[in-house]
Amino acid sequence: MNLKYLLCGFLLTIALLANAEPRPVYDWKIIKVIDGDTVKFEANFLPDPLRKQLNLRVLGIDTPEKGKRAECDSERELSKKASQFTKDFIASGKPYILLENWGKFGGRVLGDVIVDEKRLSSSLIDAGLARPYDGGKKESWCK
């Protein structure tokens, strides 16, 4: 009996996922690359008197920290490479923004940047400049 309910639940989940609408992507202008996993974009849709810009944190990855937040010189150097990779990725075509959610820090959203159907998140991981990240404790880049 429990197996029947489990199977029905599984089939219902598959049916709902198959009919789920894909998340929309937006062509809002990216103004600046903050670091490897954060960009600033125009947010003209925000009401006055709010500033018309938001930071997008790329969801699901962690890139090396820059400046004083870096734990060692090698992390600082990797951060520069990750930032440059992100700049080059965005410049390689027409970037689109995929929004997933609001970040845990105010004024920041979570999502991804897509160029030519490629995601920045997976491209940074493939290049060795990011690691998968689920919001828990971050692994050191200085090991």
Side-chain angles (χ1 to χ4, degrees):
M1 192 67 142
N2 286 341
L3 183 58
K4 184 164 60 169
Y5 287 115
L6 183 63
L7 181 59
C8 287
F10 176 74
L11 292 174
L12 179 61
T13 302
I14 296 296
L16 289 172
L17 289 175
N19 292 323
E21 290 186 34
R23 295 208 183 265
V25 294
Y26 303 94
D27 64 350
W28 297 319
K29 181 180 178 184
I30 295 175
I31 302 166
K32 179 181 179 181
V33 172
I34 307 291
D35 60 23
D37 58 15
T38 309
V39 298
K40 183 180 295 289
F41 67 93
E42 283 184 356
N44 294 328
F45 55 85
L46 292 173
D48 289 332
L50 296 177
R51 194 168 144 184
K52 307 298 186 206
Q53 298 175 354
L54 283 173
N55 287 348
L56 173 104
R57 167 78 166 71
V58 179
L59 184 63
I61 65 167
D62 175 47
T63 59
E65 298 294 338
K66 66 180 188 176
K68 293 178 183 178
R69 296 189 68 187
E71 295 177 0
C72 61
D73 289 338
S74 61
E75 181 175 16
R76 204 169 285 107
E77 288 305 310
L78 274 174
S79 173
K80 290 176 186 175
K81 289 179 182 180
S83 294
Q84 189 59 52
F85 183 94
T86 298
K87 289 175 186 174
D88 294 342
F89 181 87
I90 290 167
S92 71
K94 173 69 178 135
Y96 292 91
I97 294 174
L98 172 68
L99 294 183
E100 294 286 341
N101 208 343
W102 282 98
K104 60 184 174 183
F105 303 109
R108 190 166 84 169
V109 294
L110 302 174
D112 211 339
V113 177
I114 300 171
V115 174
D116 296 330
E117 299 181 21
K118 289 185 264 181
R119 288 179 173 245
L120 176 59
S121 57
S122 56
S123 297
L124 279 162
I125 289 172
D126 291 345
L129 298 170
R131 296 180 181 139
Y133 177 65
D134 63 4
K137 185 176 180 191
K138 294 181 180 182
E139 185 180 336
S140 175
W141 288 92
C142 297
K143 291 181 180 179

